[in-house]
Amino acid sequence: MKFKPRIVAFLCNWCSYAGADLAGISRIQYRPNVRVIRVMCSGRIDPIFVLKSLQQGADGVLIAGCHPGECHYAEGNYFARRRFTLMKKLIEFAGIDPRRLRLEWVSASEGKKFADVINEMTEDLENMGSINLKD
Amino acid sequence: MERKGFSLRDELKVISLGDFSRRVFSFRNSGKKEKEKIGAVLVLGGGIAGVQASLDLADSGFRVYLVEKNPSIGGVMAQLDKTFPTNDCSMCILSPKLVDVGRHPNIELITKADLERVEGKAGNFKVTIRKDPRYVDLEKCTACGDCMDVCPVEVDDEYQEGLTKRKAIYQFFAQSIPNAFAVEKRGIPRCRNTCPLGMNVQGYTALIANGKFKEALRVIRETNPLPSICGRVCHHPCESECKRNEIDEPIAIASLKRFVADNYDLDSDREEIEKTGKKVAIIGSGPAGLTTAYDLAKIGHTAVIFESMPVAGGMLALGIPEYRLPRGVLEKEINGIKALGVRIQLNTEIGKDLSLDDLRKEFDAVFIAVGAHVSSSLNIPGEDIKGVVHGVDFLRSENLKGKIEVGKKVAVIGGGNVAIDAARTAIRKGAQEVTLVYRRSRKEMPAHEEEIEEALEEGVKLKELTNPVGILGGEGRVVGIKCIRMKLGEPDESGRRRPIPIPDSEFVLKADQIIIAIGQSPGLSFVKGEFELTGRGILKADPDTLEVSKGVFAGGDAVTGPATVVEAMASGRKAAISIDRYLGGKSLEKVEFKKTGEIAEFEPMDIKKEKRREQPLLPVKKRVNNFEEVRQNFDEKTAIEEAKRCLNCGICSECQECVEKCEANAIDHEMREEFIQFNVGSIILSLGFDEFDPKLKGEYGYGRYKNVVSSIEFERMLSATGPSGGIPRRASDGEIPKKIAFIQCVGSRDEKTNPYCSSVCCMYSTKQAVIAKEHLDVDCSIFFMDMRTHGKEFEQYYNRARDEYRVDFIRCRAPSIEEIPNSGDLRITYEEDGKLRDEIFDLVVLSVGLKPPKGVEKLSEILGIELNKYGFCNTSNFKPTETSREGIFVCGAFQGPKDIPESVTQASGAASRAGALLSSERGTLIREKEYPPERDVSWEKPRIGVFVCRCGINIAGVVNVPEVVEYTKTFPNVVYVEENLFTCSQDTQEKIKEAIEKYKLNRVVVASCSPRTHESLFRNTIREAGLNPYLFEMVNIRDQCSWVHHHEPEEATEKAKELIRMIVAKSRLLEPLKRERIPVKDSALIIGGGVAGMTAALDLANQGYNVDLIERDGELGGHMRDIYTVIGNPEKLDAQEYLQHLINEVNKNRRIIVHKNSEISDIEGHVGNFKARLIDNKKREREIESGIIIVSTGALEYRPSEFLYGKDKRVVTQSELEKLIKNRMDFRDIVMIQCVNSRDQEHEYCSRICCTVAIKNALRIKEQNPDANIYILYRDMRTYGFREDFYREAREKGILFIRYEENEKPGVELKGNSLMVSVTDPLLKEKVILKPDLLVLSSAIVPQKDNKELSKMLKIPLNRDGFFLEAHMKLRPVDFSTDGIFVCGLAHSPKFIDETISQASAAASRASTILSKDFVEAEGNIAFIDPEICVKCLKCIDVCPYSAIEYNEEKDRVEVIEVMCKGCGLCSATCLSDAVQQRHFTNEQICAQINALMER
């Protein structure tokens, strides 16, 4: 059977979750590999969520928030960005390909972009193969 | 009406039902007429200004009616891609506000509506609103969009500026509020209106155009049981009326109908018809009788047709030759009618075989439809000679027997279809020469044009303007006919020109057979003596009911005389309705079965000419000797092409496809306009603006050149939700542009169109250029006159666009655009630096100006308000939000062109004024919902109920819902799972509540659509059932599952299962949350006693709150004390008089305490409860408590250090000049230098007011001394809005303007005792030397020096320039991100007095949303800190954007100030020890989701 990567996506309520909704309203089709967890702000993403997802067997993690300067909470996405850099290093240190973690800015009107990101990420992960932490 | 949770209908009272077409409703509050004032406000216009005004008022205790003409609120802002200067996504920031309006319990949203009437006066207006039908029930519509998929009609999408198409049933835009579809109708199409049967022509044409042939047949058969016949022989008046005639040729409607009827059949899943037991006898089986029988049989009556002839069909069978209507076609359709149980008894003549009485005895009713089969005579000599026959007899013989005697030379007399049919039959039967003799000209012939044409093709000769006067015989046979030539005289009663014989023009036409076809009459001998006949020999029936006598009805040709098939059918339908009424024992009344209403009229625009498709004809050679059908059917392709030519006049075609498709039964095409009356205390006008029509500037080629677009179109092109996903493409070839020109001032600053400046275009074009460059590799040039980037942070944006983004700014009014043939490229020739240049662009954007909204003249009459000379609302500078009628306020672009922040500010300002007028009625009309007490579930184990939504087929069509339901039942703690058709419907809410009760649920999960739109609805439902609203969770299996994995049902089902599993896991850990309430002190602290502070103080005091106004000087007045006159509307205002008036009002007001010579030394507390320490100049301290704080500390005029200021007395600033003018100065030569310390290295921003102030002072000087020479040295004249008028006046009065470049500033030096000013004119490249006796410096407005201290004390930020920085530049222009603190006036940024007044009122309005409440309520999902774990690293305090976490020294612990927390969770993610958690999004809850996903 073909490998089906599983992506955990943390979406901020105001921009990226709305963008994912817009993809739906506009009926833009994308790969069914993503499971969304809604948070109020991308700045809420605790590194533990990312680690836990990967440790439990998620093949990729997506964090999506408002574009820089557009955060509903003024600057939460900047924190997300800073933490993202750290998290990348962290998972790399843990022996995980850092490409499995991705940060994207998706606004409420970018339904197409959300779909593109999911498709692209699914494809990348397919190429990378399943995460196998026992290796 | 649109309200979730409340039904507006509940509150409606029908006040008049006298006129059925006008249903009038009235709100109950209108019963309070005796009351003096009404605590409700009407807001007219739902753009961003109207939205803001509504939210402010509704949040401060007033009932709001928001009336919007479109199907959704949002206005132009909803169309924008990004907003300047922050480049925020417009929809991202607007949408939450729209949602707030949609769910606000005190805002009644009335869409597709407009103001009809206003009575009463300030405090109590009675208003009437006209609400157009939406045709979609807002309570039922789930916005699933299924209807849109099946709708066959496409029209220009106005939201996309016509760049794409939408359907006739549509959602205005994806995030519309109300979140529902609407149907657009323009009226009844002319084709449908003209058709005697009222056939829905547009309906079936639209369906054919979409290839939906069966559906088209369904529409056709709804009104027509004989479509194959009508498709051939109908005289199709619809085609004569077709709107397409105005462009080229009508749609081939009849041919399309025939195409569908011939080729397709309806599936016969016909329901069993219940019999009524009533029997009706029908005499005659022509179209009238058949239609009546069909209609009666359909409703259960038994119909028996008696036909005297051996075939059924009447004239259809006997009169029309087979080459026009093949027998098979006729039989098929008659069989269709028989299939309903209609019996046809042939060869039975009434009056011979049976008597009328026999029928009356055996049947409950009789319908006479015997047609007109008796031919009329010519009444000329010789008619009885052998060889003379009558047309109908001739045709009948042929049709019945197929055998007929035909002469060699045949003359046919008459010009109708019978004459043509006879002539063509004669040809087919071997006549060598057939001549048609007609007394008028061909144009007047009643026969169908195409029939005449075909007859002539077949060899029939036409003798027009010829009248027979006698038939000549010889040897007992006809030998010829004597004729006379005619000419046409005046029109007769039929409208045709009357033929007059020309004397002495007789001639003889040789013929051996003469066929007379000049008309027929009914054969009614069997009723003679019983019923009355008219002079024309036709039966007299009641024209309204077709009743002849009790139980006997008559129709068709028998009562009309010879007419057409479709008229006979209509008559049959009318009779059927009357007969049914009669059989039901009801009294007869005028029968109306056609849809009535306004006819769809419009100007067809930009329609390409396209030839009508004609049915192919059998070649003449192949048809003249047989009776093969001449006209061949369309093929599928041709039918679709032809149907696509339809202009869709009615817009919605009423094909009913959407009704069939809508599982929620939300669509009702019979909705009508409604009139709603209610009383309000005040009205706020937020009507917005219209864009200037660039076609009016013909030189730019808009509408002619494909690649010239308007700026609003370009905005859509840039948008991710636009026609090409944010990548602009050229209309001519779809190429992505590489070089774009923007032309400014299209419809602005232009004497020929709009002389005023539209204020926003320079910025929006700069923004568009920047965004374009972000989206693609493109060069952008902006052709401008003066760059007007006068707003807060605008100049910086402009500089960035020029320096970082390399947008090319070209200072030149582009004279015209020329299209280069074939390439679609555009040439602009312009002058720069005195040289002519010539540049080619591949896309040109016209930056269109703003003009008053359409229809405003009428509205202003209804409202009784004045407009200014340009058609915007007339306001004065000191009362910027007040119209000329008391109690009616204005805001936004309707008051004058302005950008979003100013509109929002003014909206709040208007809300404050309305609130002050109605402060005594605050809280009288608001609704608060009563809930049962909350059930304590803390000791219970989780009992989870899951409701899985099918959303019609939106989810269930992809996701296997029953499988998901079964799977969900297996989860621990899940005690109940249910599947719903629509979980959001009203009845499902009741089912959820019952389930909570019955299964003792303490957690509820709904798996349906998006929590962003529906969470609040379900939270409300479970709260009504006694559960805490936070015990709810939602799973999005529609927008983020079934809709996006349409072709992968298995994967989508799997995904839905996992998503539910994750949320169920989270829901086990949900906790009931309390929203903390903090009492609010209902008084305000205002820091700064200038115009801003005093205005805010007065607004708040007038709204009923106490105010402490702090002023550090010994006097109130601030900056305004140095201003003497104000220029604007009226042209000259006395600033000092106004200031004095304001000070008096403040001093007089007993709610305001003024603290002069006082400063704040310390502030603590938070929203609802601030404590400020005040210290006065005598070092006395006191403490003031307040619920809110307004910062209105003003700004300063910069004291220049350059241009000899301070060194030479003749060098003054503009404010010093004001004093000189007041003291009637005496100077002759005056030079003013603009931008002194503005827009430079030190102060990058523009000080906004100096251009206008300079012009004001220059005009004042001219007034006092017309001979004065005044030079204004400037960089860009920024007299935005209506201030442009004064700039123009200044130029007209001879004030000279010399521009200088930033890098070539004017030089000022002393030569001897005289001042020397030198400036390089960039156009002439010449140095100009001026020797003024007064040099005036327009120096910058700079922030107060101690802003930093105040900023620290209040924990509110400053921008780079040192002005206070609001929470959000666009939508929260007077708020800070710290709740309860507001800003207005110059402390915010440089601005004019009218803008300051608006903003001060706005601050008061925003403050009132807090002060009006007893409590402020915290969010539910806020942070909390576990003091046991907290290590007091204080990192959370650093990251909190709302200063909502503080260290409590007394208790030595870190605490969350709950009312300040907004629930972003930054602190929680930052905390290394996990001591800080965000409620409802705790680490445990989120990790449970992750774990649940991975467990398999």
Side-chain angles (χ1 to χ4, degrees), chain A residues 4 6 8 10 13-15 17-18 20-25 27-32 34-41 43-47 49 52-53 56-58 69-70 72-73 76 79 83 107-110, chain B residues 87-89 92 144 174 720-721 954 1010-1012 1015 1036 1039-1040 1043-1046 1048 1051 1055 1058-1059 1062 1421 1439 1441-1442 1462-1466 1468-1470 1477-1478 1481-1483 1486-1487 1489-1491 1493-1494 1496:
Chain A
K4 287 184 200 160
R6 305 219 291 170
V8 176
F10 295 96
N13 179 62
W14 304 97
C15 295
Y17 197 90
D21 277 350
L22 182 66
I25 297 168
R27 308 295 197 275
I28 302 168
Q29 303 295 303
Y30 57 84
R31 303 288 297 275
V34 62
R35 304 290 178 265
V36 168
I37 294 178
R38 181 171 70 114
V39 289
M40 295 310 281
C41 178
R44 169 69 185 96
I45 314 299
D46 196 311
F49 303 157
K52 188 138 199 134
S53 304
Q56 300 263 7
E70 296 184 14
H72 187 80
Y73 302 105
F79 286 94
R83 266 184 223 127
S107 83
S109 55
E110 290 176 330
Chain B
N87 279 4
D88 270 316
C89 156
C92 295
C144 70
T721 56
N954 277 280
S1010 176
R1012 293 176 57 258
E1015 190 177 55
N1036 192 337
D1039 304 33
Q1040 297 184 9
W1043 274 355
V1044 290
H1045 311 309
H1046 208 80
E1048 293 161 289
E1051 299 281 358
K1055 179 172 172 178
E1058 290 191 354
L1059 288 172
M1062 290 162 75
N1421 54 357
V1439 300
Y1442 304 99
K1462 298 278 168 220
C1464 61
L1466 283 187
S1468 185
T1470 307
Q1477 286 296 320
Q1478 185 191 1
F1481 293 93
T1482 64
N1483 282 9
I1486 294 173
C1487 287
Q1489 278 179 275
I1490 299 169
N1491 291 340
L1493 169 61
M1494 296 308 166
R1496 276 209 263 208

Side-chain angles (χ1 to χ4, degrees), chain B residues 344-537:
Chain B
I344 304 178
Q345 195 169 316
L346 300 174
N347 298 312
T348 309
E349 190 176 340
I350 306 302
K352 204 172 106 191
D353 305 315
L354 280 172
S355 75
L356 194 57
D357 270 341
D358 294 338
L359 297 184
R360 274 199 283 207
K361 267 178 216 148
E362 202 188 322
F363 292 88
D364 299 295
V366 177
F367 177 52
I368 302 169
V370 295
H373 294 261
V374 180
S375 186
S376 308
S377 296
L378 274 171
N379 292 324
I380 54 171
E383 263 187 85
D384 47 356
I385 303 174
K386 191 162 183 249
V388 178
V389 291
H390 281 265
V392 282
D393 302 332
F394 179 78
L395 291 171
R396 188 189 305 136
S397 308
E398 166 58 27
N399 281 328
L400 279 179
K401 299 176 198 132
K403 271 199 249 165
I404 193 174
E405 194 187 310
V406 177
K408 283 189 178 138
K409 275 172 93 81
V410 181
V412 182
I413 297 163
N417 281 326
V418 173
I420 302 283
D421 286 345
R424 295 177 70 186
T425 299
I427 290 260
R428 278 167 175 72
K429 292 304 249 183
Q432 285 166 4
E433 193 180 313
V434 179
T435 309
L436 262 178
V437 177
Y438 182 54
R439 57 190 183 138
R440 300 183 220 230
S441 72
R442 175 169 168 177
K443 222 171 75 197
E444 283 80 28
M445 281 173 77
H448 301 167
E449 178 56 33
E450 63 265 26
E451 299 282 330
I452 303 170
E453 193 56 44
E454 284 165 31
L456 297 179
E457 275 172 22
E458 288 164 10
V460 173
K461 296 205 164 57
L462 174 62
K463 278 225 175 302
E464 28 179 9
L465 292 166
T466 303
N467 205 24
V469 290
I471 293 168
L472 310 173
E475 298 171 13
R477 235 202 116 76
V478 165
V479 294
I481 182 164
K482 188 175 177 188
C483 301
I484 186 164
R485 295 207 186 280
M486 311 289 277
K487 62 178 182 188
L488 293 177
E490 292 303 302
D492 63 10
E493 63 271 21
S494 75
R496 296 179 300 174
R497 291 172 70 187
R498 185 190 301 276
I500 305 165
I502 303 171
D504 305 324
S505 66
E506 288 92 343
F507 68 99
V508 171
L509 182 72
K510 281 189 182 164
D512 55 5
Q513 185 175 38
I514 289 174
I515 303 173
I516 301 169
I518 56 156
Q520 308 92 37
S521 59
L524 286 164
S525 48
F526 69 98
V527 302
K528 257 190 193 139
E530 189 138 12
F531 305 132
E532 202 182 331
L533 298 185
T534 68
R536 288 166 61 207

Side-chain angles (χ1 to χ4, degrees), chain B residues 782-794:
Chain B
I782 298 182
F783 289 84
F784 71 104
M785 299 202 291
D786 290 285
M787 184 44 57
R788 294 190 167 169
T789 49
H790 45 267
K792 194 173 182 178
E793 314 253 323
F794 289 8

Side-chain angles (χ1 to χ4, degrees), chain B residues 15 65 626 745 1069 1104 1240 1266:
Chain B
I15 60 167
Y65 301 94
N626 61 52
C745 297
L1069 301 169
D1240 66 4

Side-chain angles (χ1 to χ4, degrees), chain B residues 189-202:
Chain B
R190 294 201 292 203
C191 46
R192 181 176 188 172
N193 187 59
T194 312
C195 176
L197 279 176
M199 288 197 73
N200 183 2
V201 176
Q202 193 200 326

Side-chain angles (χ1 to χ4, degrees), chain B residues 1074-1113:
Chain B
K1074 278 245 163 340
R1075 299 182 65 175
E1076 197 61 33
R1077 288 180 147 196
I1078 306 285
V1080 173
K1081 292 217 157 52
D1082 69 344
S1083 67
L1085 172 68
I1086 299 179
I1087 309 169
V1091 173
M1094 286 192 287
T1095 305
L1098 278 170
D1099 266 41
L1100 283 170
N1102 290 338
Q1103 294 215 42
Y1105 311 113
N1106 293 322
V1107 180
D1108 287 288
L1109 178 60
I1110 319 294
E1111 171 54 52
R1112 89 172 128 200
D1113 281 358

Side-chain angles (χ1 to χ4, degrees), chain B residues 1382-1444:
Chain B
F1382 307 94
V1383 64
C1384 59
L1386 297 178
H1388 165 274
S1389 67
K1391 57 178 63 67
F1392 286 98
I1393 285 164
D1394 53 330
E1395 293 164 341
T1396 295
I1397 292 169
S1398 288
Q1399 209 183 21
S1401 291
S1405 176
R1406 300 296 304 143
S1408 174
T1409 64
I1410 294 170
L1411 295 176
S1412 63
K1413 296 190 176 75
D1414 296 334
F1415 299 94
V1416 279
E1417 209 169 31
E1419 305 279 333
N1421 54 357
I1422 55 170
F1424 69 99
I1425 299 174
D1426 184 345
E1428 301 287 312
I1429 317 176
C1430 175
V1431 298
K1432 286 169 257 180
C1433 68
L1434 310 188
K1435 278 207 163 70
C1436 51
I1437 298 181
D1438 291 344
V1439 300
C1440 179
Y1442 304 99
S1443 313

